Amino acid sequence: MKGVSRFIAQRPLALAAGCYALGAAIGDGAQVPALYWCGGLLLCALGLALRRRPIWIFCGLLFAGAWACAWLNAQPAVLPQPGELTGRVQAVHEESQERLVLTLDQAALDGAALDTRVRLYDYGQDRALPGDVICCQAEFWLPKGRTNPGGFDFAAWLRRDGVWLCATASGAEIQPGPPGLTGWLGRLRQDISFRLEQLFPGQDQLAKGMLLGDKKDLPQDIYDQYRDAGVAHLLAVSGLHVSCLAAAVCWALAALGMGRGAAYGVTVVLAGLYALLVGAPASALRAVCMFALVGGARQAGLPYDGLTGLSAAALALLAANPLQIGDTGFILSFGAVLGMLLLSRPLDALLRVGRWPRKLRWVGSSLAVSLAAQLGTLPAVCSFFGQITPYAPLTNLPAILLCSLALPLIGLALLCHLLWPPLGMVAALLPRLCLGALQEITAWVAGLPGATLAAPAWPWWLAALFAVLGLWASGYLAGGRLVKGVALAGLPLCLGLSLALAWWAIPDGLTCLFLDAGQADAAVVTAQKRTYLIDLGEAGGPVMDYLRYTGRQVDGVFISHGHADHGGGLLEVLKERRVPVIYLPQGFEAAGVDEQVAQALDLARSQGVEIRYLAQGGQVSLSAQVRAQVMAPPADSAARGNAISMVLRVSLGEGAALFTGDWPASQETGLLLPANLVKAAHHGSGDATSEFLLRALSPSACVISVGRNGYGHPSDQLLRRLDRLGIAMFRTDRDGAVLARILPDGTLEMETFL
């Protein structure tokens, strides 16, 4: 306890930051990896145990953080009627021929000011500049929160940027307006983007990602390559980028004869402007804060403590916007730096770097720092991305070196291009070599066996244990070598324990999880710890999010028919999971296949995935006691489109669920066995799931997979049928994901996510 008391007495700001962050996480609904708020709780408890007088200050910070986030989240989100929307373009997020996505501030509806920024989706314009004034007739909608286990919380993501309301328009009127600082920086960003396209043809998307954090034009394959190599952080502006550019600017100013103090001050201002230029991500703001603190301490001749500096940066950012406590970039940035501060020295000692040849010690120290950063973000990476990259500590050594060289050189090439374009083209040669080498390294690492491993989200208590072990393993608390060694060894063991817990959590019976995939179908069937996908929604849908969250592998995939809203998500699954077999209905290709599904099946064949065709009467054993019977289509069917839908009856004992795809009522013939649960065909269309079918099945519940649409789904006809027959109805657009547990005696247990 004396060691703890001395730690807190020397670094009270660390306890203050921990308490405020804990309060903010509680107020935000504890939607961050428990590592961080449990760490704050630990620090608060230690402070209380010391019985110091200032403890009320730390408790006040705890409640202040909780109140601030709770108050922000409680702001009313009223859905207004359609009307004339006006506002100033604060940021441009997407420009394409299909749509223009903007954030508007100073927004007003029919002349009355709105108390929120607005995210506008305009389908009649393809270009706008920050500072422009928008006027349009708009329809409004409220962004959805998390509706699936492990799903993306779109509403919370927008709230962190002050957006509570979304709007849709067609053909907005755009007029140039005074840009202001934000608009000027946005236009500068677009000018830099244009020059990067000229300087780095074929590499411009990568250069934009590294320098501006702009990934909207980056091909998904390139991003996947960097992610699988464990260096995706290079494509988002982080502390590394800010530090490299700040160091280069500071050195250049000093070389030009500017005094050290003046060069430092100018560099801090320029670093702050750069952070604003790239959208003020938490990682860049943290780096600017810490750069200012360390430089200020040196100028004043004062000692600098990294943990205190990190705590000061956290307090500053959370005071400005407490909702950042749930931001992925905030958590990863602070987690990586915290890991380096706590674990670099213990890992350096573990690797015995001091005994390495003198010329190689920097390699060992760099490896220790890289490994410490990976450990610091391990619970967050598992929770957010559902996978780990074992080669990342090694890959980061050359990757960070190349990035550190490329960033200042890209900046120099931009400056030369501004002065004289031919000079800029010459100056771009060296950074192009760096970017090319980086591409080759990441492509090679991403292609290695075991480059990525599935890892589920951690339970809160395991993250808390990880935090305690990390703190005790560090040099900040007193303790014997044995205790610290055990604590350090326990960190990777937590990962193994999380994998065991995830396996233990898989149900042993039959469960059907209908994911909220919008106007699409996506279901996960668990048959005695084996996982099958029955339809996968559209590309970018919720299936892969769920698999990452749970760490599940895939034992088989069923696709009802070839439309993208049923099979478009297959491509993403094939890239991240090994799929042993794909089941398709007989006549699948002849009935018509959308391009997304066709591409996915081509990839599956190239990977050697078995593809089996099923027809009425066929059966598949999903496990020892669970089987899937094919009700349709007949083997000789010449149906097209929705009519080819494969209809599956998945059963365990007396219990069964019927999956209908988009099966139209005109095809409802053949073998129809009773089922406790039925998925409404074609998203609740009126010409599907007829009363004849419902009476033949006699289900207790019906699940309708539906989202915002212009088709009138679910139809009033279906809703009246279900009500007349006394069948319980569940809708993914209102209930979120719907979980059905089917017991062998026919008992059906239903649970909704919302």
Side-chain angles (χ1 to χ4, degrees):
M1 186 59 71
K2 289 183 179 180
V4 175
S5 177
R6 184 169 62 252
F7 170 77
I8 294 176
Q10 292 175 346
R11 299 174 179 84
L13 207 58
L15 179 60
C19 290
Y20 190 81
L22 169 63
I26 293 174
D28 196 36
Q31 294 179 4
V32 299
L35 166 65
Y36 299 94
W37 59 265
C38 285
L41 179 62
L42 174 64
L43 293 175
C44 188
L46 291 175
L48 287 170
L50 296 176
R51 299 181 181 179
R52 298 290 185 92
R53 288 184 178 180
I55 196 61
W56 65 269
I57 299 177
F58 300 119
C59 292
L61 287 169
L62 178 74
F63 288 108
W67 178 85
C69 270
W71 180 80
L72 287 171
N73 282 322
Q75 295 301 301
V78 180
L79 183 63
Q81 294 297 317
E84 185 180 71
L85 173 67
T86 58
R88 186 178 67 90
V89 178
Q90 187 263 337
V92 180
H93 305 288
E94 180 182 334
E95 292 178 325
S96 67
Q97 294 181 350
E98 289 78 22
R99 68 180 186 178
L100 181 65
V101 183
L102 311 167
T103 294
L104 304 181
D105 58 11
Q106 302 176 14
L109 176 60
D110 294 329
L114 295 172
D115 295 329
T116 175
R117 291 176 177 174
V118 176
R119 180 62 63 97
L120 175 65
Y121 296 80
D122 185 84
Y123 291 87
Q125 295 284 356
D126 61 1
R127 187 165 181 81
L129 292 172
D132 287 349
V133 177
I134 297 288
C135 180
C136 61
Q137 290 294 321
E139 295 183 358
F140 297 90
W141 46 281
L142 298 178
K144 294 178 68 173
R146 183 179 288 108
T147 60
N148 293 302
F152 178 60
D153 193 335
F154 182 57
W157 181 71
L158 288 179
R159 283 199 301 270
R160 295 182 199 119
D161 195 34
V163 176
W164 266 258
L165 191 62
C166 296
T168 303
S170 179
E173 180 182 342
I174 302 177
Q175 297 179 349
L181 177 61
T182 303
W184 180 81
L185 289 173
R187 298 183 184 199
L188 176 61
R189 179 186 176 95
Q190 290 192 341
D191 181 65
I192 291 174
S193 180
F194 174 73
R195 293 180 184 275
L196 289 175
E197 292 173 1
Q198 294 181 311
L199 288 169
F200 301 95
Q203 297 176 320
D204 55 297
Q205 299 99 336
L206 185 57
K208 291 178 188 178
M210 293 179 61
L211 189 66
L212 301 175
D214 182 3
K215 299 187 289 291
K216 64 176 181 290
D217 295 327
L218 188 70
Q220 186 63 40
D221 291 344
I222 299 298
Y223 178 79
D224 292 344
Q225 172 183 311
Y226 276 71
R227 180 200 62 202
D228 294 347
V231 294
H233 60 91
L234 299 181
L235 301 176
V237 176
S238 64
L240 170 68
H241 301 67
V242 174
S243 300
C244 290
L245 293 173
V249 169
C250 199
W251 175 85
L253 293 176
L256 292 173
M258 186 177 290
R260 180 178 298 179
Y264 159 73
V266 171
T267 303
V268 170
V269 173
L270 292 177
L273 290 174
Y274 174 66
L276 295 176
L277 174 69
V278 298
S283 54
L285 294 176
R286 175 201 58 76
V288 172
C289 289
M290 296 187 71
F291 180 80
L293 288 171
V294 68
R298 288 176 179 174
Q299 294 300 315
L302 298 174
Y304 175 77
D305 178 69
L307 191 57
T308 299
L310 182 67
S311 302
L315 277 175
L317 268 62
L318 290 176
N321 183 4
L323 294 180
Q324 284 197 91
I325 191 65
D327 179 64
T328 303
F330 179 93
I331 294 170
L332 292 176
S333 178
F334 280 86
V337 177
L338 184 61
M340 289 188 285
L341 292 173
L342 295 180
L343 301 174
S344 292
R345 289 185 178 179
L347 290 171
D348 194 284
L350 179 67
L351 296 173
R352 299 179 181 271
V353 175
R355 298 185 181 181
W356 290 32
R358 185 178 299 274
K359 293 182 179 180
L360 295 179
R361 288 179 187 174
W362 70 272
V363 177
S365 297
S366 299
L367 179 60
V369 171
S370 177
L371 186 57
Q374 299 294 322
L375 285 172
T377 59
L378 182 59
V381 167
C382 292
S383 297
F384 288 134
F385 306 115
Q387 67 177 29
I388 56 173
T389 49
Y391 305 134
L394 291 172
T395 310
N396 272 278
L397 298 183
I400 289 177
L401 178 61
L402 288 169
C403 182
S404 301
L405 288 173
L407 281 171
L409 292 173
I410 292 173
L412 179 61
L414 283 170
L415 181 60
C416 293
H417 190 267
L418 179 63
L419 296 175
W420 187 37
L423 180 61
M425 299 301 294
V426 174
L429 293 177
L430 188 54
R432 289 190 67 177
L433 290 176
C434 294
L435 295 178
L438 189 59
Q439 282 284 86
E440 293 297 326
I441 291 173
T442 54
W444 179 72
V445 174
L448 292 175
T452 60
L453 300 175
W458 291 20
W460 69 268
W461 60 265
L462 183 59
L465 174 62
F466 188 88
V468 172
L469 291 174
L471 187 60
W472 279 110
S474 73
Y476 287 95
L477 295 181
R481 182 177 298 179
L482 178 61
V483 173
K484 291 186 176 295
V486 170
L488 188 63
L491 295 177
L493 292 179
C494 287
L495 175 62
L497 183 56
S498 73
L499 297 173
L501 291 170
W503 168 255
W504 183 264
I506 299 176
D508 194 35
L510 173 60
T511 64
C512 304
L513 177 65
F514 300 88
L515 297 171
D516 176 16
Q519 188 69 5
D521 273 11
V524 181
V525 172
T526 304
Q528 297 178 301
K529 291 191 177 295
R530 304 189 70 185
T531 301
Y532 296 87
L533 307 178
I534 300 183
D535 284 337
L536 306 97
E538 296 193 29
V543 171
M544 202 60 235
D545 287 340
Y546 177 76
L547 294 177
R548 295 185 190 115
Y549 175 71
T550 58
R552 299 267 194 101
Q553 298 299 324
V554 178
D555 293 287
V557 171
F558 294 83
I559 300 178
S560 62
H561 59 295
H563 290 170
D565 60 330
H566 291 255
L570 177 61
L571 187 63
E572 190 176 12
V573 172
L574 289 170
K575 289 181 178 180
E576 296 195 32
R577 291 292 189 271
R578 178 185 172 275
V579 177
V581 58
I582 297 174
Y583 299 97
L584 305 174
Q586 193 75 41
F588 181 85
E589 282 82 2
V593 181
D594 288 351
E595 183 179 357
Q596 289 180 349
V597 184
Q599 290 178 354
L601 291 175
D602 288 342
L603 176 61
R605 293 185 178 95
S606 69
Q607 292 177 342
V609 177
E610 180 185 2
I611 296 179
R612 293 178 56 186
Y613 295 88
L614 301 175
Q616 188 179 83
Q619 293 190 15
V620 178
S621 295
L622 304 186
S623 68
Q625 299 177 352
V626 178
R627 63 175 182 170
Q629 298 171 272
V630 183
M631 304 288 104
D636 58 351
S637 174
R640 297 291 182 268
N642 294 338
I644 199 67
S645 291
M646 177 166 51
V647 179
L648 286 176
R649 182 180 185 270
V650 180
S651 61
L652 170 64
E654 300 298 322
L658 190 73
F659 294 83
T660 57
D662 283 349
W663 204 30
S666 60
Q667 301 295 314
E668 294 175 353
T669 58
L671 181 62
L672 295 175
L673 301 177
N676 310 74
L677 173 69
V678 61
K679 185 206 76 73
H682 201 196
H683 319 293
S685 169
D687 60 359
T689 321
S690 67
E691 186 164 340
F692 161 76
L693 177 67
L694 293 173
R695 289 187 181 277
L697 299 176
S698 187
S700 302
C702 176
V703 176
I704 306 175
S705 184
V706 65
R708 293 176 67 242
N709 65 89
Y711 307 108
H713 296 164
S715 68
D716 291 337
Q717 300 99 305
L718 175 63
L719 299 182
R720 286 195 295 268
R721 288 173 206 152
L722 297 175
D723 182 63
R724 185 167 55 251
L725 297 174
I727 300 172
M729 178 194 66
F730 298 87
R731 293 173 51 171
T732 58
D733 61 338
R734 295 181 180 178
D735 300 319
V738 179
L739 176 66
R741 298 183 183 89
I742 301 175
L743 305 183
D745 63 358
T747 303
L748 180 65
E749 299 176 353
M750 304 295 293
E751 180 181 335
T752 61
F753 185 79
L754 298 180

